[in-house]
Structure formats: C-alpha cells, structure tokens
Amino acid sequence: MSHFNRYETERLILKPTDQEDAEFILALCNTPKWIQNIGDRNIRSVEDAERYIIAKHIPQFARLGYGNYTMIRKSDQQKVGSAGLYDRDGLSGIDIGFALLPEYEGMGYAYEASLKVKSIAIEEYGLRSISAITTQTNLGSQKLLVKLGLEFKKYLKLPGDSEELMYYLLELDDAQSI
C-alpha cells in the first residue's frame, strides 16, 4: 500500500491503514466507545484485525485511492486513532469517520485529522459532498461533524441494523470550496 499517499497535519501523520496496523486496529475496534458508537466488528485477535484490514480497507484504497488512515502522532510516532473516507453499504456518497483510542480523546486529534481528510476529499478527489453517520448518543461526534461544516439532515437506518442513526451532509456548490 506504499503507493497511496500519506498526509501530514501540524501534529499528525495520516498513513493508509494496512496490515502493519493490525495490533492498533485490534485495540481501537475493542474500545468501549468504538463498540458503543460504531459497532462490534468481532475482531478478537491480531489475525482477525489483519483479515478486517485486507477485506475492508485495502480494497477501497485500490478502488477509490482513499480510505481509512491511521493517525500517528509526530512527537512520538504513537498511533492514536483513525480517520478516513468510506464508501459504506447503505449510504450514497462518501462518508467521513474518525475514532480515537480513549487516552487520546479531547486533544483535538480527531478534528485535526478529519479537517485534513475533508480537504483531501474535496481538493484531491473532487468530491462535492461528504456525509457522516453517528449514533444519537454520540454528542462528541455530532459536535465535531458540525464543526467540520456538515449539517444534520435526517435519521436513517442502515441495512440490517435496527438503530436509528443521525445522518449529516456537507454539500458544496460550484462557487464553494473548503
């Protein structure tokens, strides 16, 4: 996956998530907030995480050129979270998402990384709209999505899921940029 772009922000490196990130993805996907707000992906081992990355992340990079990025803090090379652009089943368009390990929450990393991911979507890939979904109880995500310029539009359910999610959208017209 080395041929896909890495990006930098003031404090972070965003690198395409690959099998080298399996231990990190195992930890991230099993945090209480991930399970509560995103869902249990049944990742219980490093091997499960590798399979998840190979099945979910790598094909989207190959197809679209973008996907899930692992956030690495520049100061100490610590993997702190993930942010990315996702082509999700049941949603039209491209969805922005983010998650942090609990010990790195509240430091602005999700906003910093998501702002960069948003600019990549618009400037490099020419996306004219970006959507997002979040649970009704995830107030932190809701605030961050609004800060990124997305607006709440409606409640929806994804195929095979009974939970009503909040759907946010950012639409750019031809006169707008980020």
Side-chain angles (χ1 to χ4, degrees):
M1 294 235 332
S2 59
H3 63 283
F4 294 106
N5 288 340
R6 294 168 67 107
Y7 300 95
E8 290 192 29
T9 66
E10 182 182 342
R11 300 179 296 164
L12 300 169
I13 296 166
L14 302 177
K15 81 163 202 68
T17 301
D18 60 24
Q19 294 97 309
E20 294 174 11
D21 300 308
E23 283 186 37
F24 164 72
I25 292 296
L26 172 64
L28 185 65
C29 290
N30 285 289
T31 63
K33 281 192 177 176
W34 179 288
I35 291 171
Q36 177 186 349
N37 295 319
I38 298 171
D40 188 347
R41 299 292 186 251
N42 295 309
I43 298 171
R44 302 291 181 255
S45 67
V46 172
E47 294 75 22
D48 289 346
E50 287 174 354
R51 283 190 289 274
Y52 180 76
I53 292 164
I54 290 167
K56 292 285 187 187
H57 297 311
I58 292 174
Q60 185 183 308
F61 271 106
R63 196 172 82 247
L64 300 175
Y66 54 80
N68 191 72
Y69 297 90
T70 299
M71 294 180 214
I72 304 167
R73 189 165 54 187
K74 288 180 180 178
S75 63
D76 59 5
Q77 301 302 300
Q78 186 65 42
K79 294 175 182 179
V80 300
S82 68
L85 298 164
Y86 310 98
D87 185 10
R88 293 195 199 276
D89 291 340
L91 284 183
S92 61
I94 299 299
D95 187 61
I96 193 167
F98 40 83
L100 291 169
L101 291 173
E103 59 267 36
Y104 302 108
E105 291 174 9
M107 299 178 184
Y109 294 134
Y111 178 69
E112 187 175 322
S114 296
L115 198 58
K116 183 64 176 181
V117 167
K118 175 184 158 185
S119 75
I120 294 164
I122 295 166
E123 294 173 7
E124 290 192 32
Y125 292 97
L127 299 183
R128 305 309 298 157
S129 68
I130 300 169
S131 63
I133 51 173
T134 188
T135 59
Q136 296 178 45
T137 56
N138 192 342
L139 301 179
S141 275
Q142 294 167 34
K143 287 178 187 172
L144 181 52
L145 293 171
V146 170
K147 191 174 178 182
L148 287 168
L150 284 80
E151 294 178 29
F152 172 73
K153 294 293 184 182
K154 63 183 178 181
Y155 295 98
L156 60 74
K157 292 181 184 176
L158 292 178
D161 194 352
S162 61
E163 185 175 12
E164 244 188 8
L165 300 171
M166 297 176 75
Y167 175 79
Y168 287 77
L169 186 65
L170 169 68
E171 292 182 288
L172 300 176
D173 62 34
D174 291 334
Q176 285 178 301
S177 67
I178 58 166

